[in-house]
Amino acid sequence: MGKQNFAFVQALRGIAALWVVLYHAHAGGHVQALQTAMPSFLAHILFDAGHLGVAIFFTLSGFVIAHSLAGSTMTPGNWGRFMLRRSVRLDPAYWASMVLVVAFGALSARVKHEAFSLPDVGNVAAHIAYLQVILGLPGISPVYWTLTYEIQFYAFFAAAMMFPRFMWALLPLALASAIGVFDGAVPGLFVNLWANFFIGVLAKYASEDPRWLWPMAAIGVPLAWSGEFGLTNAITAVALWAAVRSGWAIRGFDWRWLQFLGAVSYSLYLIHNSITGAAGFAMRKVLGTSVLADAATLIVIIASSIGAAWLLWLTIERPSHALSKRILSERKPTEAAASPA
């Protein structure tokens, strides 16, 4: 199948990121009147369930990493190069977003006459190392917790490829994760959500070899049974499998605006919560609360979040992607962007 670019995957990234934006518009109390005026099921799907965009991201990550590393011979050196490229792709935008989040927090506290304190050095260091959840430290932004899992997913899956005879063990690990064996274990440890990522890997494998449909179903059924989050993982995996098998993965949802949204989805995910809070607060001061005011607020939240994400992508993320492609390109396994990432 080669290393095609999947328009369908890029579109799903954009949809997932926008869904999370809608969720935080709801969670921040910026669209209450609008939600109340909508049919309850529609309000739930659009706003309350927006956190399920994270589930889509996790499954997409599994699919894309499995696709991009297909055919690679993983050695300790190649693993190191793979993780270096991941770091160069993801870290600069992540670090820049932390600065922006803290700046917006300080500005918000000043405007609202609230107390504000900078995150301490230990907390910042833990965030840089993606360890804040495992260490039980407060998040600088409420969205950063997912990155701690994503980095572990990448590192563990790529490391497992160094031992091809034991790759089968990833399946029972995913099954244990799917049925909740690790619930209540170490918070932030990748095994807690391994099934949610690995079902994307299985979707990629099953799209090329039907024998992998049975393992995919074995993980998908308990995931779907576990609740909305797991159900979203299972549906996303099936959609990815069907899109590849039908050929739709290449050109599906290949709409310019949606592809653009997918391209800036990581930056959008990183900074939207601060932009949402600022835009929502400003619009409430100007327009007050009503259905029409909330509709206008939502439009401003979405537009300003996407605009800020585009600037972050243009100035930080896109150059980082270009740099990662040049690093040790002769000896690395090729990989594509896979997160909210």
Side-chain angles (χ1 to χ4, degrees):
M1 182 164 45
K3 297 294 188 292
Q4 299 108 320
N5 292 318
F6 293 134
F8 182 65
V9 169
Q10 189 81 318
L12 286 184
R13 285 194 186 107
I15 291 169
L18 183 58
W19 207 7
V20 176
V21 173
L22 294 177
Y23 171 76
H24 282 118
H26 145 72
H30 305 301
V31 290
Q32 291 176 336
L34 179 62
Q35 284 184 263
T36 302
M38 297 171 65
S40 58
F41 76 92
L42 183 59
H44 175 75
I45 292 172
L46 286 179
F47 298 105
D48 303 280
H51 68 284
L52 299 177
V54 172
I56 296 175
F57 277 132
F58 282 164
T59 302
L60 286 177
S61 292
F63 178 88
V64 175
I65 291 300
H67 171 69
S68 61
L69 292 180
S72 299
T73 299
M74 191 60 64
T75 64
N78 280 344
W79 181 88
R81 284 183 282 273
F82 168 75
M83 292 305 297
L84 177 60
R85 286 168 57 83
R86 290 279 88 200
S87 178
V88 171
R89 276 181 175 269
L90 302 178
D91 289 352
Y94 174 45
W95 298 339
S97 76
M98 281 194 276
V99 174
L100 291 171
V101 167
V102 172
F104 269 92
L107 178 61
S108 175
R110 184 176 181 85
V111 170
K112 298 176 182 178
H113 305 289
E114 298 173 345
F116 176 78
S117 59
L118 291 170
D120 61 45
V121 174
N123 196 0
V124 173
H127 276 75
I128 290 174
Y130 299 97
L131 292 175
Q132 74 275 14
V133 179
I134 292 176
L135 296 177
L137 297 174
I140 293 174
S141 169
V143 305
Y144 290 161
W145 72 271
T146 65
L147 305 184
T148 68
Y149 282 97
E150 291 276 2
I151 292 299
Q152 292 179 73
F153 293 154
Y154 305 151
F156 181 73
F157 180 72
M161 290 183 65
M162 288 189 280
F163 309 96
R165 291 185 178 181
F166 299 100
M167 285 288 285
W168 62 268
L170 300 182
L171 186 60
L173 182 66
L175 182 59
S177 173
I179 63 178
V181 169
F182 303 113
D183 291 354
V186 180
L189 195 61
F190 76 97
V191 292
N192 301 330
L193 295 171
W194 177 247
N196 310 75
F197 167 86
F198 193 65
I199 195 169
V201 175
L202 294 174
K204 192 278 175 184
Y205 291 168
S207 69
E208 297 181 344
D209 185 344
R211 290 175 296 182
W212 285 98
L213 283 171
W214 291 108
M216 182 176 154
I219 302 303
V221 169
L223 265 181
W225 188 260
S226 68
E228 283 186 329
F229 199 90
L231 177 61
T232 303
N233 293 124
I235 292 172
T236 303
V238 171
L240 289 167
W241 168 80
V244 175
R245 294 297 298 174
S246 66
W248 207 56
I250 306 297
R251 305 300 297 177
F253 289 152
D254 191 12
W255 306 332
R256 179 175 296 182
W257 68 271
L258 194 50
Q259 294 300 302
F260 166 79
L261 196 60
V264 303
S265 60
Y266 179 51
S267 290
L268 179 59
Y269 181 79
L270 289 174
I271 65 172
H272 76 273
N273 194 53
S274 295
I275 304 298
T276 294
F281 177 80
M283 292 296 289
R284 179 65 56 86
K285 286 290 186 180
V286 173
L287 298 180
T289 301
S290 69
V291 174
L292 289 178
D294 282 9
T297 296
L298 183 61
I299 292 171
V300 171
I301 284 173
I302 292 172
S304 58
S305 295
I306 292 174
W310 175 74
L311 288 174
L312 181 61
W313 172 82
L314 187 66
T315 58
I316 304 293
E317 191 183 352
R318 187 169 69 168
S320 299
H321 283 202
L323 178 59
S324 74
K325 293 177 181 178
R326 295 196 298 268
I327 292 178
L328 304 171
S329 59
E330 295 301 316
R331 300 178 61 194
K332 51 85 182 163
T334 303
E335 93 277 2
S339 97

